[in-house]
Amino acid sequence: MEGMKFTQFYSINSICSPSRGCFLTGRNTIRNGIYTSEPYPEDLIFRVFIPYSTGGLPTSEVTVATQLKNFGYSTALIGKWHLGHYGGVLPTQSHGFDYWFGLPYAQDEGCPVSKSGEIPCMPAVKDAGFPGTPLYRNTEIIEQPVMLETLTERYNEEIESFLDNAAKNKSQPFFLYMAHNQVHVQLYASKNFLGKSKRGLYGDAAQEMDNSVGVLLIMLKSLCLVSNTFVFFSSDKGPWLEQKLDGGSAGPFKGGKGSTWEGGLRMPGIAWWPGKIPPMQVQQEVATSLDIFPTFLDVAGVLKPSGVILDGVSLVPLIFQGQPVHTNDVLFFYRDNLIYAARFQAFKAHFVTRSGFNLDPPVHHSPPLLFNVEQDPGEHWPLDPTESNNAAVLKIIIAAVENQQKTVIPATPQLNPSYMLDPLVSPCCNGTFPIGCSC
């Protein structure tokens, strides 16, 4: 194995739009606005951006792409955005990307098309009347609905083109954000991978995504870009268990996408830099997706944005010197505008629990459920809150949560109904919804 594998890496949020907003800004959802303040059960509806959304990642937010571009970097996003499409919030409009090729949201938020002519469409999406899922190049829709079977092959071509240009312009550093649509539903695979996995279409899609990551790494090596290129691989959320065989598995962890159990948040994390990071490294210290923003800036020697509060910290001391960076930190896991869980050292406290996508109401816990997730990563056995050590841990976590709630000023919630229900803003390549959404 090349690089460093993290065994306790977290996506700080467990669903598409919020988790991506957190990674790109280094800030939790309550600060960057990618959440809803709607109560249960309305909160089940307003969780990610959809074709009818007028909200998005606020233009006032500084992304890692913006900050790197400010210091001379060439920047590109190949893949899924899912942080709004209306009102100037696309990647190349206000968030620091020079180039974008990909989808504005997940492929299941519209009806894509297949080569057979079949349009695989989730019933709820069909009932909502969303237009076909569009494919963008920068601000232009170049295909609608998107042809999924060829999408990853086209992503590979875009990767190769961007890296080839980077190799020709070595005086200018680059930042590439590669955000695959696989293995999200609706599942798909190209002809070279279809039917090749014993795990069915999900396995085919996973193998094709894995191959695409390999295309990127091979290109870096072949273009002699390896010695000064830092790569970090992870995921934005856990498996969508409610999709059954199409949704993946969280292995030993409880829960999945949408929940704050470990299965929704515990992600793969791999840092790769041949010559700088020795092979076969295993890192058991805690790290999160919020840390990627400051880590990239640190590696690049770029200053943090002035006047911006970051919730993450640089992983450079951990990756290169083996120094833990979250020893005394309490890490907050939000669902919408509420802190559902928090991690401190080996312990994780659940203030509220519920499933990822089912209709069960939130269950509030006082005192919080406490687990030692290093000894019990499946969160099977809550610890006795009255035992002295456990009580001391809970006291630290509760105090940190209360301080967070008192001191953080919530941003305007971009996923509230007032930003989510306008069909006329749906992306349409040749007109205005519902006419002209095909090209």
Side-chain angles (χ1 to χ4, degrees):
M1 180 192 76
E2 295 182 347
M4 176 180 289
K5 178 177 72 174
F6 288 76
T7 62
Q8 296 196 80
F9 189 84
Y10 286 91
S11 173
I12 207 68
N13 201 282
S14 64
I15 195 167
C16 309
S17 296
S19 66
R20 291 160 193 264
C22 292
F23 145 66
L24 283 172
T25 65
R27 289 154 56 84
N28 237 316
T29 52
I30 200 70
R31 295 192 202 273
N32 64 35
I34 313 302
Y35 69 93
T36 181
S37 61
E38 289 295 295
Y40 171 85
E42 287 82 5
D43 62 348
L44 288 165
I45 303 172
F46 305 107
R47 302 188 70 183
V48 298
F49 293 109
I50 60 176
Y52 295 175
S53 296
T54 58
L57 183 65
T59 57
S60 58
E61 288 293 316
V62 179
T63 70
V64 62
T66 299
Q67 192 66 359
L68 290 172
K69 183 176 179 179
N70 289 341
F71 283 81
Y73 273 68
S74 170
T75 60
L77 163 58
I78 310 299
K80 176 180 161 185
W81 172 236
H82 218 166
L83 287 169
H85 61 273
Y86 178 77
V89 298
L90 288 173
T92 57
Q93 290 178 314
S94 56
H95 291 302
F97 289 97
D98 297 316
Y99 182 75
W100 172 44
F101 181 88
L103 308 190
Y105 36 74
Q107 62 266 28
D108 68 330
E109 291 180 28
C111 299
V113 68
S114 69
K115 289 185 176 180
S116 66
E118 175 189 2
I119 301 178
C121 197
M122 297 181 71
V125 171
K126 191 172 184 179
D127 293 343
F130 293 160
T133 311
L135 173 65
Y136 277 78
R137 176 173 281 115
N138 298 325
T139 59
E140 179 187 2
I141 298 174
I142 61 172
E143 183 176 281
Q144 190 175 21
V146 62
M147 178 73 72
L148 287 178
E149 285 96 336
T150 60
L151 184 60
T152 303
E153 293 174 332
R154 287 181 283 177
Y155 282 171
N156 291 342
E157 292 171 358
E158 295 289 334
I159 292 169
E160 292 170 348
S161 175
F162 179 79
L163 292 180
D164 188 57
N165 287 331
K168 292 175 182 177
N169 299 280
K170 289 187 177 181
S171 61
Q172 183 178 27
F174 68 89
F175 169 68
L176 172 62
Y177 171 29
M178 178 69 235
H180 277 285
N181 292 84
Q182 291 166 318
V183 290
H184 199 290
V185 294
Q186 305 291 346
L187 293 175
Y188 63 93
S190 70
K191 62 181 181 180
N192 291 330
F193 292 89
L194 192 63
K196 298 298 176 63
S197 167
K198 293 183 179 180
R199 179 56 176 80
L201 185 54
Y202 185 93
D204 297 342
Q207 287 187 347
E208 183 165 26
M209 180 190 68
D210 178 72
N211 177 77
S212 182
V213 174
V215 167
L216 187 152
L217 299 182
I218 290 170
M219 281 288 293
L220 290 174
K221 291 178 179 178
S222 65
L223 294 171
C224 300
L225 295 171
V226 168
S227 63
N228 60 351
T229 302
F230 175 72
V231 177
F232 199 93
F233 172 86
S234 190
S235 178
D236 65 334
K237 60 187 176 297
W240 195 350
L241 300 179
E242 289 78 7
Q243 296 295 326
K244 301 177 181 178
L245 280 177
D246 286 351
S249 167
F253 304 118
K254 180 182 291 186
K257 173 182 174 179
S259 79
T260 49
W261 296 108
E262 290 289 277
L265 300 166
R266 187 84 76 94
M267 295 298 112
I270 301 173
W272 185 86
W273 194 351
K276 299 291 180 67
I277 301 175
M280 306 299 292
Q281 299 295 300
V282 177
Q283 181 53 256
Q284 299 186 56
E285 296 294 331
V286 173
T288 85
S289 56
L290 291 172
D291 301 328
I292 295 176
F293 181 116
T295 300
F296 279 13
L297 297 190
D298 202 357
V299 167
V302 167
L303 297 174
K304 295 178 182 178
S306 176
V308 176
I309 297 173
L310 297 180
D311 292 306
V313 299
S314 173
L315 299 177
V316 164
L318 179 62
I319 294 172
F320 298 101
Q321 290 90 42
Q323 301 173 5
V325 294
H326 287 299
T327 303
N328 296 308
D329 294 339
V330 175
L331 308 175
F332 307 110
F333 301 114
Y334 282 85
R335 176 161 170 166
D336 304 321
N337 60 332
L338 299 177
I339 296 174
Y340 268 46
R343 171 89 191 245
F344 174 66
Q345 297 179 354
F347 300 93
K348 184 178 172 191
H350 288 270
F351 292 80
V352 189
T353 55
R354 62 197 288 197
S355 66
F357 282 87
N358 292 325
L359 299 178
D360 54 306
V363 178
H364 295 261
H365 302 280
S366 181
L369 298 178
L370 185 67
F371 298 89
N372 184 324
V373 290
E374 292 186 349
Q375 296 179 359
D376 176 24
E379 296 171 296
H380 298 297
W381 301 287
L383 300 173
D384 179 0
T386 65
E387 191 274 329
S388 59
N389 183 64
N390 298 337
V393 168
L394 280 173
K395 184 177 180 180
I396 293 171
I397 294 175
I398 291 170
V401 168
E402 290 176 347
N403 182 67
Q404 175 84 349
Q405 293 168 332
K406 289 177 182 177
T407 58
V408 175
I409 300 173
T412 302
Q414 297 295 308
L415 293 173
N416 270 9
S418 57
Y419 292 96
M420 296 287 284
L421 300 172
D422 188 352
L424 295 180
V425 305
S426 300
C428 283
C429 57
N430 285 322
T432 302
F433 181 80
I435 301 171
C437 301
S438 178
C439 59

